[in-house]
Each structure stands twice: as structure tokens, then as C-alpha cells.
Amino acid sequence: DADVTQTPRNRITKTGKRIMLECSQTKGHDRMYWYRQDPGLGLQLIYYSFDVKDINKGEISDGYSVSRQAQAKFSLSLESAIPNQTALYFCATSDPPQETQYFGPGTRLLVL
Amino acid sequence: AQSVTQPDIHITVSEGASLELRCNYSYGATPYLFWYVQSPGQGLQLLLKYFSGDTLVQGIKGFEAEFKRSQSSFNLRKPSVHWSDAAEYFCAVGAAITDKLIFGTGTRLQVFP
């Protein structure tokens, strides 16, 4: 089984809808991250969490919110989706100090 | 501010040829450097990383990278490319305290038989 899983893998939604992307990990890591990937832009950090009580904004947090329900679960929400949020979203986990980040398979989101 | 530049958007090589993917970074302290590979439809997989010590690091799949502080570079190399190496490659620099990664824009590698 994969160490970092993301659901759904693909999602089509309409402008204005609220959606949630979920990430679960079995690696036992405290740190979790949400990234967005757009063609030609690489990956940009949306939010990151060092533990259940510690959540921080990344480079592009506007329009997004997160919830760390447990050490193993980190959800990303789009409260009111807009077309320019169409992208590939990745969840990642790591353990300090400065260890490797392990990525999930990604969620492809299309906002119409 | 930290930044990573991958100057080559797209590289094409023949199978069996050598490969070098360029990565330049900007960071005020000693950087933590990573190369990740993304195959089509897949997530990112770590190829190798540099934290300290020997500036030539070996990774998986026959890849290696050399950290050159004087040139602010961390180029990825492979002596003989296989068709299965076709993918997108990302260089990233990590911040010592926050573990946040700053990614380059990626280089897409195409391999011809």
C-alpha cells in the first residue's frame, strides 16, 4: 500500500462549489504539506503543518483552507472554487530534521 | 529570498547518450538540495539529496549530482540515459528551519530510441 494517499485522484467541479481534497499518510510523520502544480510553474506551497496544532500559510494560500484532523490526515478545502484553481494538487509528508518529503500521487482538479 | 532556476525547459537526448540537467539556486546559507522526478501521471519521487559532506551525491536509477558552492549549482547527471528516464525533473532547495521546499519550474526530458 502507498505511504501517502490522496482522494479523489480526479475531480471536476463548477465555479463557486466547495470541495475538499484529502490526504492520508502511514509514514508516522508529523509534517505535512499541500502543493499546487501548474504547467511551467513547478510546485508552489499552499499550506504546511508541523503537527496537529501547528498550521502555516505557504506562498499561495489565498482561496484555500486546511484542516489537520490527526497526525495522519491533512485536508485541503476550496471554499468557493474558481477556474484558475484548476491544477494538480500534491500532498507531502516529512520528518525533521530536514528529511525527505514524500509525495502522494496527486489530485487533478478541473474547475469549470 | 530563496529561489531555484532550471534554465532548460525541455531537453531531448538519444538513448544511451549522457545527460546533464542544470539547476542553480539562490540561498543565504548552506542549502539543502534535492532532485525529484515525476513520471507522467505520477507523483514526485526523490532521486537524490544533498545536506552536507561529499559534494558528489549518488542517487537512484544511476543518477548523480554535484554541489558546487562557488557556482550555486546542483546539476544532475547520468552517463547513459534509458528510454524509461523520460519524465519531468525538478530541483528543489530546502530551508533549514522550516523544511519548506522551493521548487524549480522543472525540465522535461524526452528520450529518443
Side-chain angles (χ1 to χ4, degrees), chain A residues 71-100:
Chain A
Q71 185 202 40
K73 296 185 181 297
F74 193 35
S75 301
L76 176 72
S77 294
L78 286 68
E79 297 300 327
S80 179
I82 57 176
N84 75 1
Q85 292 177 312
T86 293
L88 185 55
Y89 291 85
F90 286 105
C91 174
T93 74
S94 73
D95 228 12
Q98 261 303 320
E99 289 297 332
T100 302

PDB file of all heavy atoms in Angstrom, chain A residues 71-100:
ATOM      1  N   GLN A  71      -2.667  13.239  13.151  1.00  0.00           N
ATOM      2  CA  GLN A  71      -1.306  13.230  12.622  1.00  0.00           C
ATOM      3  C   GLN A  71      -1.289  12.710  11.190  1.00  0.00           C
ATOM      4  O   GLN A  71      -0.533  13.184  10.346  1.00  0.00           O
ATOM      5  CB  GLN A  71      -0.389  12.358  13.485  1.00  0.00           C
ATOM      6  CG  GLN A  71       1.072  12.421  13.042  1.00  0.00           C
ATOM      7  CD  GLN A  71       1.875  11.219  13.486  1.00  0.00           C
ATOM      8  OE1 GLN A  71       1.394  10.096  13.443  1.00  0.00           O
ATOM      9  NE2 GLN A  71       3.096  11.461  13.929  1.00  0.00           N
ATOM     10  N   ALA A  72      -2.153  11.770  10.901  1.00  0.00           N
ATOM     11  CA  ALA A  72      -2.104  11.103   9.605  1.00  0.00           C
ATOM     12  C   ALA A  72      -2.953  11.761   8.528  1.00  0.00           C
ATOM     13  O   ALA A  72      -2.908  11.330   7.381  1.00  0.00           O
ATOM     14  CB  ALA A  72      -2.531   9.646   9.768  1.00  0.00           C
ATOM     15  N   LYS A  73      -3.739  12.759   8.850  1.00  0.00           N
ATOM     16  CA  LYS A  73      -4.695  13.294   7.891  1.00  0.00           C
ATOM     17  C   LYS A  73      -4.594  14.818   7.784  1.00  0.00           C
ATOM     18  O   LYS A  73      -4.602  15.516   8.802  1.00  0.00           O
ATOM     19  CB  LYS A  73      -6.124  12.895   8.276  1.00  0.00           C
ATOM     20  CG  LYS A  73      -6.374  11.397   8.228  1.00  0.00           C
ATOM     21  CD  LYS A  73      -7.819  11.079   8.506  1.00  0.00           C
ATOM     22  CE  LYS A  73      -8.078   9.577   8.494  1.00  0.00           C
ATOM     23  NZ  LYS A  73      -7.821   8.986   7.160  1.00  0.00           N
ATOM     24  N   PHE A  74      -4.577  15.281   6.530  1.00  0.00           N
ATOM     25  CA  PHE A  74      -4.427  16.713   6.258  1.00  0.00           C
ATOM     26  C   PHE A  74      -5.280  17.018   5.041  1.00  0.00           C
ATOM     27  O   PHE A  74      -4.989  16.545   3.949  1.00  0.00           O
ATOM     28  CB  PHE A  74      -2.951  17.017   6.004  1.00  0.00           C
ATOM     29  CG  PHE A  74      -2.582  18.470   6.008  1.00  0.00           C
ATOM     30  CD1 PHE A  74      -3.185  19.382   6.848  1.00  0.00           C
ATOM     31  CD2 PHE A  74      -1.571  18.932   5.177  1.00  0.00           C
ATOM     32  CE1 PHE A  74      -2.815  20.718   6.859  1.00  0.00           C
ATOM     33  CE2 PHE A  74      -1.181  20.270   5.173  1.00  0.00           C
ATOM     34  CZ  PHE A  74      -1.804  21.157   6.018  1.00  0.00           C
ATOM     35  N   SER A  75      -6.331  17.821   5.221  1.00  0.00           N
ATOM     36  CA  SER A  75      -7.271  18.087   4.144  1.00  0.00           C
ATOM     37  C   SER A  75      -7.137  19.506   3.638  1.00  0.00           C
ATOM     38  O   SER A  75      -6.885  20.431   4.417  1.00  0.00           O
ATOM     39  CB  SER A  75      -8.712  17.860   4.622  1.00  0.00           C
ATOM     40  OG  SER A  75      -8.886  16.540   5.070  1.00  0.00           O
ATOM     41  N   LEU A  76      -7.341  19.658   2.356  1.00  0.00           N
ATOM     42  CA  LEU A  76      -7.299  20.964   1.704  1.00  0.00           C
ATOM     43  C   LEU A  76      -8.691  21.274   1.184  1.00  0.00           C
ATOM     44  O   LEU A  76      -9.291  20.442   0.495  1.00  0.00           O
ATOM     45  CB  LEU A  76      -6.307  20.952   0.551  1.00  0.00           C
ATOM     46  CG  LEU A  76      -6.207  22.222  -0.291  1.00  0.00           C
ATOM     47  CD1 LEU A  76      -5.525  23.338   0.489  1.00  0.00           C
ATOM     48  CD2 LEU A  76      -5.440  21.940  -1.589  1.00  0.00           C
ATOM     49  N   SER A  77      -9.196  22.470   1.494  1.00  0.00           N
ATOM     50  CA  SER A  77     -10.519  22.873   1.026  1.00  0.00           C
ATOM     51  C   SER A  77     -10.442  24.106   0.147  1.00  0.00           C
ATOM     52  O   SER A  77      -9.648  25.016   0.410  1.00  0.00           O
ATOM     53  CB  SER A  77     -11.441  23.165   2.205  1.00  0.00           C
ATOM     54  OG  SER A  77     -11.704  22.000   2.944  1.00  0.00           O
ATOM     55  N   LEU A  78     -11.275  24.084  -0.872  1.00  0.00           N
ATOM     56  CA  LEU A  78     -11.504  25.264  -1.683  1.00  0.00           C
ATOM     57  C   LEU A  78     -12.917  25.696  -1.362  1.00  0.00           C
ATOM     58  O   LEU A  78     -13.882  24.998  -1.686  1.00  0.00           O
ATOM     59  CB  LEU A  78     -11.368  24.947  -3.172  1.00  0.00           C
ATOM     60  CG  LEU A  78      -9.967  24.730  -3.728  1.00  0.00           C
ATOM     61  CD1 LEU A  78      -9.334  23.463  -3.206  1.00  0.00           C
ATOM     62  CD2 LEU A  78     -10.008  24.727  -5.254  1.00  0.00           C
ATOM     63  N   GLU A  79     -13.050  26.807  -0.645  1.00  0.00           N
ATOM     64  CA  GLU A  79     -14.367  27.220  -0.146  1.00  0.00           C
ATOM     65  C   GLU A  79     -15.316  27.589  -1.278  1.00  0.00           C
ATOM     66  O   GLU A  79     -16.503  27.292  -1.224  1.00  0.00           O
ATOM     67  CB  GLU A  79     -14.208  28.382   0.825  1.00  0.00           C
ATOM     68  CG  GLU A  79     -13.407  28.041   2.073  1.00  0.00           C
ATOM     69  CD  GLU A  79     -14.042  26.922   2.890  1.00  0.00           C
ATOM     70  OE1 GLU A  79     -15.294  26.829   2.918  1.00  0.00           O
ATOM     71  OE2 GLU A  79     -13.300  26.124   3.491  1.00  0.00           O
ATOM     72  N   SER A  80     -14.784  28.249  -2.280  1.00  0.00           N
ATOM     73  CA  SER A  80     -15.588  28.637  -3.430  1.00  0.00           C
ATOM     74  C   SER A  80     -14.681  28.553  -4.656  1.00  0.00           C
ATOM     75  O   SER A  80     -13.948  29.485  -4.957  1.00  0.00           O
ATOM     76  CB  SER A  80     -16.138  30.054  -3.247  1.00  0.00           C
ATOM     77  OG  SER A  80     -16.894  30.445  -4.368  1.00  0.00           O
ATOM     78  N   ALA A  81     -14.714  27.414  -5.301  1.00  0.00           N
ATOM     79  CA  ALA A  81     -13.754  27.142  -6.372  1.00  0.00           C
ATOM     80  C   ALA A  81     -13.893  28.125  -7.529  1.00  0.00           C
ATOM     81  O   ALA A  81     -15.004  28.552  -7.890  1.00  0.00           O
ATOM     82  CB  ALA A  81     -13.929  25.720  -6.864  1.00  0.00           C
ATOM     83  N   ILE A  82     -12.756  28.481  -8.122  1.00  0.00           N
ATOM     84  CA  ILE A  82     -12.719  29.336  -9.298  1.00  0.00           C
ATOM     85  C   ILE A  82     -11.854  28.665 -10.357  1.00  0.00           C
ATOM     86  O   ILE A  82     -10.986  27.846 -10.025  1.00  0.00           O
ATOM     87  CB  ILE A  82     -12.188  30.743  -8.968  1.00  0.00           C
ATOM     88  CG1 ILE A  82     -10.800  30.663  -8.328  1.00  0.00           C
ATOM     89  CG2 ILE A  82     -13.160  31.483  -8.072  1.00  0.00           C
ATOM     90  CD1 ILE A  82     -10.189  32.025  -8.067  1.00  0.00           C
ATOM     91  N   PRO A  83     -12.068  29.000 -11.634  1.00  0.00           N
ATOM     92  CA  PRO A  83     -11.340  28.303 -12.715  1.00  0.00           C
ATOM     93  C   PRO A  83      -9.819  28.361 -12.587  1.00  0.00           C
ATOM     94  O   PRO A  83      -9.153  27.397 -12.982  1.00  0.00           O
ATOM     95  CB  PRO A  83     -11.844  29.010 -13.977  1.00  0.00           C
ATOM     96  CG  PRO A  83     -13.229  29.443 -13.621  1.00  0.00           C
ATOM     97  CD  PRO A  83     -13.141  29.854 -12.169  1.00  0.00           C
ATOM     98  N   ASN A  84      -9.254  29.433 -12.066  1.00  0.00           N
ATOM     99  CA  ASN A  84      -7.786  29.468 -12.004  1.00  0.00           C
ATOM    100  C   ASN A  84      -7.221  28.616 -10.870  1.00  0.00           C
ATOM    101  O   ASN A  84      -6.008  28.597 -10.641  1.00  0.00           O
ATOM    102  CB  ASN A  84      -7.237  30.891 -11.981  1.00  0.00           C
ATOM    103  CG  ASN A  84      -7.397  31.576 -10.658  1.00  0.00           C
ATOM    104  OD1 ASN A  84      -7.915  31.013  -9.695  1.00  0.00           O
ATOM    105  ND2 ASN A  84      -6.934  32.815 -10.571  1.00  0.00           N
ATOM    106  N   GLN A  85      -8.079  27.885 -10.175  1.00  0.00           N
ATOM    107  CA  GLN A  85      -7.622  26.879  -9.229  1.00  0.00           C
ATOM    108  C   GLN A  85      -7.532  25.492  -9.890  1.00  0.00           C
ATOM    109  O   GLN A  85      -7.215  24.503  -9.224  1.00  0.00           O
ATOM    110  CB  GLN A  85      -8.527  26.827  -7.998  1.00  0.00           C
ATOM    111  CG  GLN A  85      -8.414  28.077  -7.144  1.00  0.00           C
ATOM    112  CD  GLN A  85      -9.340  28.084  -5.954  1.00  0.00           C
ATOM    113  OE1 GLN A  85     -10.537  27.794  -6.089  1.00  0.00           O
ATOM    114  NE2 GLN A  85      -8.807  28.428  -4.783  1.00  0.00           N
ATOM    115  N   THR A  86      -7.808  25.444 -11.162  1.00  0.00           N
ATOM    116  CA  THR A  86      -7.574  24.221 -11.921  1.00  0.00           C
ATOM    117  C   THR A  86      -6.080  23.924 -11.917  1.00  0.00           C
ATOM    118  O   THR A  86      -5.277  24.753 -12.337  1.00  0.00           O
ATOM    119  CB  THR A  86      -8.070  24.387 -13.366  1.00  0.00           C
ATOM    120  OG1 THR A  86      -9.499  24.497 -13.355  1.00  0.00           O
ATOM    121  CG2 THR A  86      -7.656  23.212 -14.233  1.00  0.00           C
ATOM    122  N   ALA A  87      -5.713  22.764 -11.405  1.00  0.00           N
ATOM    123  CA  ALA A  87      -4.302  22.438 -11.243  1.00  0.00           C
ATOM    124  C   ALA A  87      -4.179  21.000 -10.755  1.00  0.00           C
ATOM    125  O   ALA A  87      -5.171  20.312 -10.527  1.00  0.00           O
ATOM    126  CB  ALA A  87      -3.622  23.377 -10.243  1.00  0.00           C
ATOM    127  N   LEU A  88      -2.943  20.584 -10.584  1.00  0.00           N
ATOM    128  CA  LEU A  88      -2.624  19.292  -9.975  1.00  0.00           C
ATOM    129  C   LEU A  88      -2.174  19.576  -8.546  1.00  0.00           C
ATOM    130  O   LEU A  88      -1.292  20.409  -8.333  1.00  0.00           O
ATOM    131  CB  LEU A  88      -1.529  18.607 -10.777  1.00  0.00           C
ATOM    132  CG  LEU A  88      -1.098  17.193 -10.419  1.00  0.00           C
ATOM    133  CD1 LEU A  88      -2.279  16.245 -10.418  1.00  0.00           C
ATOM    134  CD2 LEU A  88      -0.038  16.716 -11.399  1.00  0.00           C
ATOM    135  N   TYR A  89      -2.788  18.908  -7.586  1.00  0.00           N
ATOM    136  CA  TYR A  89      -2.506  19.162  -6.177  1.00  0.00           C
ATOM    137  C   TYR A  89      -1.799  17.961  -5.567  1.00  0.00           C
ATOM    138  O   TYR A  89      -2.231  16.821  -5.710  1.00  0.00           O
ATOM    139  CB  TYR A  89      -3.801  19.447  -5.411  1.00  0.00           C
ATOM    140  CG  TYR A  89      -4.417  20.765  -5.790  1.00  0.00           C
ATOM    141  CD1 TYR A  89      -5.256  20.867  -6.893  1.00  0.00           C
ATOM    142  CD2 TYR A  89      -4.147  21.920  -5.063  1.00  0.00           C
ATOM    143  CE1 TYR A  89      -5.809  22.084  -7.262  1.00  0.00           C
ATOM    144  CE2 TYR A  89      -4.691  23.140  -5.407  1.00  0.00           C
ATOM    145  CZ  TYR A  89      -5.519  23.222  -6.516  1.00  0.00           C
ATOM    146  OH  TYR A  89      -6.065  24.431  -6.880  1.00  0.00           O
ATOM    147  N   PHE A  90      -0.708  18.253  -4.848  1.00  0.00           N
ATOM    148  CA  PHE A  90       0.065  17.202  -4.206  1.00  0.00           C
ATOM    149  C   PHE A  90       0.112  17.419  -2.708  1.00  0.00           C
ATOM    150  O   PHE A  90       0.285  18.541  -2.222  1.00  0.00           O
ATOM    151  CB  PHE A  90       1.502  17.180  -4.729  1.00  0.00           C
ATOM    152  CG  PHE A  90       1.637  16.629  -6.107  1.00  0.00           C
ATOM    153  CD1 PHE A  90       1.859  17.461  -7.185  1.00  0.00           C
ATOM    154  CD2 PHE A  90       1.566  15.254  -6.325  1.00  0.00           C
ATOM    155  CE1 PHE A  90       1.992  16.946  -8.466  1.00  0.00           C
ATOM    156  CE2 PHE A  90       1.697  14.733  -7.603  1.00  0.00           C
ATOM    157  CZ  PHE A  90       1.904  15.583  -8.671  1.00  0.00           C
ATOM    158  N   CYS A  91       0.011  16.324  -2.001  1.00  0.00           N
ATOM    159  CA  CYS A  91       0.252  16.282  -0.568  1.00  0.00           C
ATOM    160  C   CYS A  91       1.627  15.654  -0.352  1.00  0.00           C
ATOM    161  O   CYS A  91       2.054  14.787  -1.140  1.00  0.00           O
ATOM    162  CB  CYS A  91      -0.836  15.441   0.096  1.00  0.00           C
ATOM    163  SG  CYS A  91      -0.604  15.140   1.852  1.00  0.00           S
ATOM    164  N   ALA A  92       2.323  16.089   0.691  1.00  0.00           N
ATOM    165  CA  ALA A  92       3.623  15.507   1.009  1.00  0.00           C
ATOM    166  C   ALA A  92       3.786  15.436   2.519  1.00  0.00           C
ATOM    167  O   ALA A  92       3.116  16.158   3.265  1.00  0.00           O
ATOM    168  CB  ALA A  92       4.752  16.337   0.387  1.00  0.00           C
ATOM    169  N   THR A  93       4.672  14.564   2.953  1.00  0.00           N
ATOM    170  CA  THR A  93       4.975  14.443   4.384  1.00  0.00           C
ATOM    171  C   THR A  93       6.483  14.423   4.576  1.00  0.00           C
ATOM    172  O   THR A  93       7.237  14.074   3.656  1.00  0.00           O
ATOM    173  CB  THR A  93       4.399  13.149   4.986  1.00  0.00           C
ATOM    174  OG1 THR A  93       5.195  12.033   4.553  1.00  0.00           O
ATOM    175  CG2 THR A  93       2.968  12.925   4.569  1.00  0.00           C
ATOM    176  N   SER A  94       6.924  14.783   5.761  1.00  0.00           N
ATOM    177  CA  SER A  94       8.347  14.671   6.093  1.00  0.00           C
ATOM    178  C   SER A  94       8.497  14.594   7.601  1.00  0.00           C
ATOM    179  O   SER A  94       7.555  14.856   8.351  1.00  0.00           O
ATOM    180  CB  SER A  94       9.146  15.854   5.550  1.00  0.00           C
ATOM    181  OG  SER A  94       8.886  17.031   6.296  1.00  0.00           O
ATOM    182  N   ASP A  95       9.684  14.215   8.007  1.00  0.00           N
ATOM    183  CA  ASP A  95      10.016  14.185   9.426  1.00  0.00           C
ATOM    184  C   ASP A  95      11.291  14.980   9.634  1.00  0.00           C
ATOM    185  O   ASP A  95      12.244  14.811   8.877  1.00  0.00           O
ATOM    186  CB  ASP A  95      10.188  12.735   9.877  1.00  0.00           C
ATOM    187  CG  ASP A  95       9.426  12.440  11.146  1.00  0.00           C
ATOM    188  OD1 ASP A  95       8.586  13.273  11.545  1.00  0.00           O
ATOM    189  OD2 ASP A  95       9.665  11.391  11.748  1.00  0.00           O
ATOM    190  N   PRO A  96      11.375  15.835  10.634  1.00  0.00           N
ATOM    191  CA  PRO A  96      12.581  16.635  10.842  1.00  0.00           C
ATOM    192  C   PRO A  96      13.732  15.752  11.293  1.00  0.00           C
ATOM    193  O   PRO A  96      13.514  14.665  11.790  1.00  0.00           O
ATOM    194  CB  PRO A  96      12.168  17.619  11.927  1.00  0.00           C
ATOM    195  CG  PRO A  96      11.055  16.936  12.649  1.00  0.00           C
ATOM    196  CD  PRO A  96      10.349  16.109  11.632  1.00  0.00           C
ATOM    197  N   PRO A  97      14.956  16.198  11.249  1.00  0.00           N
ATOM    198  CA  PRO A  97      15.326  17.482  10.673  1.00  0.00           C
ATOM    199  C   PRO A  97      15.674  17.348   9.198  1.00  0.00           C
ATOM    200  O   PRO A  97      16.458  16.531   8.804  1.00  0.00           O
ATOM    201  CB  PRO A  97      16.585  17.857  11.461  1.00  0.00           C
ATOM    202  CG  PRO A  97      17.205  16.532  11.807  1.00  0.00           C
ATOM    203  CD  PRO A  97      16.079  15.549  11.943  1.00  0.00           C
ATOM    204  N   GLN A  98      15.036  18.189   8.431  1.00  0.00           N
ATOM    205  CA  GLN A  98      15.324  18.301   7.004  1.00  0.00           C
ATOM    206  C   GLN A  98      15.375  16.958   6.296  1.00  0.00           C
ATOM    207  O   GLN A  98      16.251  16.692   5.493  1.00  0.00           O
ATOM    208  CB  GLN A  98      16.653  19.021   6.771  1.00  0.00           C
ATOM    209  CG  GLN A  98      16.443  20.462   6.433  1.00  0.00           C
ATOM    210  CD  GLN A  98      15.556  20.678   5.222  1.00  0.00           C
ATOM    211  OE1 GLN A  98      15.623  19.973   4.239  1.00  0.00           O
ATOM    212  NE2 GLN A  98      14.684  21.666   5.300  1.00  0.00           N
ATOM    213  N   GLU A  99      14.422  16.147   6.585  1.00  0.00           N
ATOM    214  CA  GLU A  99      14.359  14.869   5.897  1.00  0.00           C
ATOM    215  C   GLU A  99      13.610  15.009   4.585  1.00  0.00           C
ATOM    216  O   GLU A  99      13.025  16.028   4.281  1.00  0.00           O
ATOM    217  CB  GLU A  99      13.676  13.824   6.795  1.00  0.00           C
ATOM    218  CG  GLU A  99      14.522  13.382   7.974  1.00  0.00           C
ATOM    219  CD  GLU A  99      15.808  12.695   7.547  1.00  0.00           C
ATOM    220  OE1 GLU A  99      15.824  12.094   6.454  1.00  0.00           O
ATOM    221  OE2 GLU A  99      16.796  12.778   8.297  1.00  0.00           O
ATOM    222  N   THR A 100      13.649  13.966   3.821  1.00  0.00           N
ATOM    223  CA  THR A 100      12.994  13.926   2.510  1.00  0.00           C
ATOM    224  C   THR A 100      11.495  14.142   2.642  1.00  0.00           C
ATOM    225  O   THR A 100      10.869  13.652   3.579  1.00  0.00           O
ATOM    226  CB  THR A 100      13.244  12.561   1.881  1.00  0.00           C
ATOM    227  OG1 THR A 100      14.652  12.353   1.786  1.00  0.00           O
ATOM    228  CG2 THR A 100      12.609  12.467   0.516  1.00  0.00           C
TER     229      THR A 100
END
